[in-house]
Each structure stands twice: as structure tokens, then as C-alpha cells.
Amino acid sequence: MVVRTRFAPSPTGFLHIGGARTALFNWLYAKNRKGQFILRIEDTDYSRSNEESVNAILDGMQYLGLTWDEGPFFQSERLTIYRQYSERLVDQGKAYRCFCTKEELDAERARLLKEGQKPMYNRRCLHAPPGGREEHVLRFQCPDEGETVVEDLVKGTVRFKNQELDDLVIVRSDGMPTYNFTVVVDDALMGITHVIRGDDHLNNTPRQIQIYHALGFVPPLFGHVPMILGSDRARLSKRHGALSVTAYREAGYLPEAMTNYLVRLGWSFGDQEIFSVDELVEKFSTDNIGKSSGTFNPEKLLWVNHQHIINSPPERIARAALPFFQRIGADPSKHPRYEYAVITLQERSKTLAELAESGLFYFTEEIEMEEEGRKKFLKADMGPPLAYLAEILEDLDPFEEVGVAGCFEKVMKRFLMKLGKIAQPARVALTGKRVSPGIYEVIWVLGKDVSVGRLRRAVDLIRLDSENL
RNA sequence: GGUCCCAUCGUCUAGUCUGGCCUAGGACAUCGGCCUCUCACGCCGAAAACGGGGGUUCGAAUCCCCCUGGGAUCACCA
């Protein structure tokens, strides 16, 4: 059997963390089983849907690399199909017109609630519809005996008594079909074999199964994955940090790190924490999806991103980091040793934004000098050693990292200094900061001219300072 | 409130199905230390959990029941 899964968001906002994870699970399952993944936009709620959201969702999926094999399909373009099926249900006596007004329904609901009963539709229009009214909805007539069983891929067997379910609206008074109806028609018609979605849908599943049966369709397999909660155990919201996946792209998170973290939140493979996308595809299964809800932990996501930055080939990181450099006014793309610079930055950068920030000194003409670093390390006695370092670096040929180390040896020997004593001032002179990659590699990446120039500028600075005293 | 789901370190989790190998393992974060030209990486170590109560059993984190707690859902939203 060819597996077909889908992601069916409603376009009422951007692609958020929870939706992305649902999409990811479906995508992984399809890929793992060599099946197809379908994208469908559920935009039957006209008043809440908008095109901007559609684009935002597509954008988020592209960032994560969740490619779809079919679609996107839009429910708003399939209205005649739904009409066909809803009319069939009416003809077969499985759905009926309901003329109750919203006010009547609300009042009835309030009355039942007040009397401590459950608010279910009383089927007035099934038995004795009020005459003289035009406006109506269509209700699906639920069986009121027996039970509907969901054999869930993650939750196991879940039973619902049919008498707990009331007759739900499948077509609104304006003729628009509702979610529980369209989702069934589409999943059936699109040949979806596995529906993996948030467990907030578990309660809808028995009614959907009934609609499948009423329509003569075979229900797919369902897998209801636990939701992601925020740090306060409440449903994830803006308060818990960025929600949109593209916000993480802007912040410098690698898509493979996002997918790694997201899938690992609720799914596990022994003790393994770091997975490539290919590994995920290979190892993913609904068997080891956890049953309990998880809490979104931005700090672990940051660590996962860090791991992926460290483990990626430098050329990949170099390419991914380029926009982040450009954003802060540098263009390292033409720099002969850009990739080598990236290597020196990888293990100390948790995000691409951070990487660009801390590597900016490699690619700017003028470096900004940290006041504290200058005060602490560029003192009068450092003038001669730095001047000497500049001098021997200038004579170094070939200009290679080992040779650079040798130059430091010479300075240490001549001035009887430990490496720490000379390295820190050199670091400030060359990078403007007290924190940087290893000093030899910094010098090598910077090249002879820039290194010597910056060292001499620092020497001048020191002289100026001492003259002013 | 009804219905449904869930319950192992602060967090993500392994172990639960197929009881004994669990004095409960890993990871993030935290705290100590090592390495060291700074920062990081890396390494070593510490602290940290089976929600409670009953059963079943020679033996329960694991099976059963109750309680408690958390979550979801009860729309002419999806």
C-alpha cells in the first residue's frame, strides 16, 4: 500500500511551532514509507482566512524543507465537490435541514448548561421542523446507539459512546461546508492513508469516522500526537518566545536543527539526540512517538542548532551565514579565506546571527575597538612587543599558520613573556575584542597586510595614549 | 460540568507492551573541576525523577483499581 499523508493548515496566521511539527511528522512518515505528502489549505472559514497566511505557511514549509508531492489544494476551490456529497447525505436521509436560529440554539445550550446537563442539540428539526423558515444549516445525523472506536497509532484504542455525540453542522446557512465534513471528503478523495495531527483532534475523530461510513468511504489510520505546551504547561503562545518558524530562520537557526529539535520533542530513538534529516527519514516511525505532551524548550533548541553548526561542512555554513553577514554590512563572499574564517567561528557560534556578529572583524575595513579591551591590554609596555610582532610577521614568507606561531615564539623569547601576555593585546589589536578565535588562525585568515596594519595602528594608539598622560 | 487524553530528574526522554539485567540510563539547563592565548569546543564529576494510595506477585517504574494533578474538547472555528 502506498502511504499518503497530508498537512492541512488553515491560513489564519504564520506556520507556528506546533503546526510545523505536525507537518514534519507527516512528511517524515511519508518519506520513510516512500509515499506521498500532500498539502491542503483549509480555508472554508472565509472570514478568518487570508492569502498572506497562505504565503507565510508555504514560506515556513520551504524553510524547513518540507516539500510536498501534491498541492497545495484549496478547499475554497472545491465547494462544488462538498455540495455534491452533502446533498447525497440529505438524499440518503443521513443529514437533515435544521432551521433553528443561532439565538434559539444559544438559549437552549445555556438552559441545559444551567441545569447541569450536557449541551447537545435536541433534534427539534429532525422531528418537528418549524415551518415558514428559509434559512437553514445541514446537520449530520449521528447514530445514537453503540460506540465508535478509534484505533489510534499513538494513543491506542479509544472508545466513544455514540450517545455522547450530537448532530453536528456540516453545512452552514451561507452554504459553506464546515471542517469536520470537508476534512473527511478531502482525505477520502485524496486517498490519504494516514492522518497524523494534534491530539486536540482526537475528540473530533469519532464523528469523522461516522461521516466516512455514511459516505461509504474507508477511514484512514489516525495518529494523534500530543501537543506542545509552553514553559507554564499552558498551550504554547507568544509569551513563550517566537512562535513562527520563520522567526527562527531570521534568528539564524538551521532548518535541519529545527526539524531535529521539533521531531525529538515527542519522538525518540534511544539516547540519540542529533539527527540529520536523512537519518530522521530513515528512523522515523509512529511507534516511538510519546503519548504525553511536551514543553517547548528554547535552550535545548539553541544547543541542537549549535551542534548542527559544528557538525556541518564549512561550505554549507559559509553559504547559510552569508545573508547574516550582509545584514550587518559585510560581504565576505569574495574573501579568499571566507570558508576558513567560518571554520574558526563554527564551534563558538550557537546561531548564524551570532556567527556573523563575532566574525565581522574579518571582513570590515575598520574595526570597532572595545573600550575595556583597549584599556586593559593595550598598555604602554605592550608597544614594543606588538611592534616587533608586526615586523616579523611582515617578513614571514610563506605566510602560514605554523609560521605565525613561530613569530609568537620569537616575541615571547625576546620579551620574556608568556603567550597569554602577548596574545590578548594582539587579539584586541586585530579583532577589537577580547574574545575571538585562536590568535594564529585569526592572523592567518586576516592575511599579512591587514594583520600588520592593525598591529601597527594599535602601536600608534598606545603611543598616543602615553603621550597624553 | 460531561467526554477524551496524559503522568519517570526543572525540561526533552530511555526503560513500561514482553515484571527481575533499574542502588532508574542519556541529553539540555545548573554547579564544581580539567584543558587553555581569550571565548568556545572537548573531557571528568556533582546535584536532580518513577504524583499518592491500594491491590496482583517471591519480586512492580513496568500489570490492575481508586485518588490527585495536568491537558484537550464540547461553535453555523479549524
Side-chain angles (χ1 to χ4, degrees):
Chain A
M1 178 181 68
V2 180
V3 165
R4 287 169 66 85
T5 64
R6 49 67 160 183
F7 177 53
S10 63
T12 55
F14 42 65
L15 179 63
H16 56 88
I17 297 293
R21 192 181 62 146
T22 304
L24 181 59
F25 280 162
N26 280 285
W27 183 84
L28 284 174
Y29 191 72
K31 293 295 157 196
N32 174 270
R33 299 280 298 267
K34 310 236 183 308
Q36 288 118 35
F37 174 65
I38 290 119
L39 179 61
R40 184 176 70 227
I41 305 297
E42 310 225 319
D43 55 352
T44 55
D45 186 0
Y46 189 75
S47 59
R48 301 202 311 161
S49 304
N50 61 286
E51 200 187 323
E52 199 182 326
S53 297
V54 173
N55 292 332
I57 289 166
L58 263 36
D59 187 34
M61 303 225 1
Q62 270 152 6
Y63 160 56
L64 292 176
L66 303 181
T67 49
W68 51 93
D69 301 295
E70 293 173 26
F73 298 106
F74 290 83
Q75 290 192 323
S76 55
E77 293 170 2
R78 299 168 58 81
L79 265 21
T80 51
I81 298 174
Y82 309 127
R83 176 172 296 269
Q84 216 176 306
Y85 282 92
S86 61
E87 279 172 1
R88 183 192 293 184
L89 287 180
V90 175
D91 292 344
Q92 294 176 340
K94 293 169 177 170
Y96 59 93
R97 294 184 174 79
C98 170
F99 299 89
C100 297
T101 65
K102 203 161 189 164
E103 291 71 35
E104 288 169 343
L105 259 17
D106 286 345
E108 175 70 0
R109 197 167 13 244
R111 188 184 68 79
L112 288 168
L113 231 34
K114 198 176 171 188
E115 290 174 15
Q117 301 187 51
K118 32 190 137 173
M120 292 173 65
Y121 179 60
N122 60 15
R123 284 189 166 172
R124 174 171 74 145
C125 294
L126 177 62
H127 305 300
R133 294 188 188 178
E134 262 313 305
E135 198 170 279
H136 65 274
V137 301
L138 249 37
R139 283 186 188 273
F140 176 73
Q141 186 180 344
C142 288
D144 37 27
E145 283 175 4
E147 58 179 19
T148 301
V149 179
V150 181
E151 295 294 350
D152 197 87
L153 257 16
V154 348
K155 303 281 187 183
T157 305
V158 185
R159 296 167 182 283
F160 295 87
K161 289 190 178 58
N162 289 340
Q163 54 179 321
E164 299 289 344
L165 278 17
D166 65 354
D167 295 345
L168 74 157
V169 173
I170 58 172
V171 178
R172 293 181 269 215
S173 52
D174 65 357
M176 286 298 268
T178 62
Y179 164 74
N180 279 111
F181 184 66
T182 57
V183 76
V184 169
V185 172
D186 280 342
D187 284 339
L189 261 30
M190 293 177 186
I192 303 302
T193 58
H194 299 255
V195 171
I196 301 170
R197 67 204 338 181
D199 67 5
D200 50 336
H201 285 289
L202 186 53
N203 288 308
N204 285 325
T205 307
R207 356 182 62 144
Q208 289 174 13
I209 288 177
Q210 288 170 358
I211 296 175
Y212 274 98
H213 290 320
L215 252 17
F217 293 132
V218 178
L221 261 25
F222 293 96
H224 287 94
V225 312
M227 318 204 57
I228 303 174
L229 307 178
S231 45
D232 52 4
R233 305 295 299 168
R235 203 181 186 139
L236 198 60
S237 72
K238 299 116 241 158
R239 293 174 293 127
H240 305 107
L243 272 188
S244 131
V245 297
T246 47
Y248 288 93
R249 174 180 58 196
E250 306 321 322
Y253 286 78
L254 258 12
E256 58 268 36
M258 286 305 287
T259 54
N260 187 159
Y261 174 73
L262 251 23
V263 77
R264 204 34 205 76
L265 177 53
W267 174 87
S268 60
F269 192 81
D271 284 339
Q272 189 172 346
E273 297 284 352
I274 302 299
F275 300 83
S276 68
V277 175
D278 287 344
E279 261 179 307
L280 250 20
V281 167
E282 182 201 324
K283 291 172 172 167
F284 185 76
S285 145
T286 54
D287 295 344
N288 30 28
I289 295 177
K291 291 177 164 201
S292 52
S293 51
T295 308
F296 181 71
N297 184 343
E299 289 187 320
K300 184 140 186 185
L301 169 60
L302 194 60
W303 176 79
V304 171
N305 196 46
H306 188 27
Q307 295 305 306
H308 279 271
I309 288 178
I310 290 175
N311 297 333
S312 296
E315 61 267 25
R316 150 121 186 77
I317 301 300
R319 209 178 329 115
L322 214 48
F324 292 86
F325 277 108
Q326 287 162 346
R327 205 165 70 182
I328 55 176
D331 184 15
S333 60
K334 299 288 187 303
H335 191 105
R337 285 181 287 273
Y338 175 41
E339 232 174 84
Y340 196 93
V342 166
I343 294 174
T344 71
L345 298 166
Q346 275 175 285
E347 70 184 9
R348 56 201 102 224
S349 308
K350 292 195 201 299
T351 66
L352 297 173
E354 200 183 307
L355 184 146
E357 194 64 47
S358 57
L360 184 62
F361 72 89
Y362 279 131
F363 310 108
T364 45
E365 202 64 39
E366 288 293 323
I367 53 166
E368 210 178 301
M369 200 163 289
E370 234 178 55
E371 198 44 46
E372 280 183 59
R374 179 179 166 180
K375 246 190 256 168
K376 188 168 178 192
F377 295 111
L378 298 186
K379 291 183 178 166
D381 63 331
M382 287 312 300
L386 289 179
Y388 180 59
L389 180 63
E391 187 189 324
I392 56 181
L393 279 174
E394 193 166 36
D395 292 339
L396 183 61
D397 187 55
F399 194 78
E400 283 168 351
E401 212 182 311
V402 256
V404 171
C407 291
F408 274 84
E409 296 286 336
K410 284 187 194 160
V411 178
M412 286 156 67
K413 205 170 268 174
R414 160 147 350 165
F415 293 89
L416 297 173
M417 282 174 165
K418 285 192 180 164
L419 182 54
K421 180 88 164 114
I422 178 74
Q424 276 304 83
R427 189 185 317 283
V428 173
L430 293 162
T431 71
K433 295 180 289 192
R434 286 165 297 170
V435 169
S436 84
I439 198 68
Y440 308 146
E441 45 191 8
V442 163
I443 290 174
W444 186 77
V445 172
L446 245 22
K448 183 188 281 187
D449 294 348
V450 174
S451 298
V452 169
R454 288 187 187 175
L455 284 170
R456 292 201 165 132
R457 224 167 306 155
V459 173
D460 289 346
L461 224 51
I462 291 172
R463 192 186 314 123
L464 267 167
D465 282 349
S466 56
E467 282 168 5
N468 287 345
L469 277 179

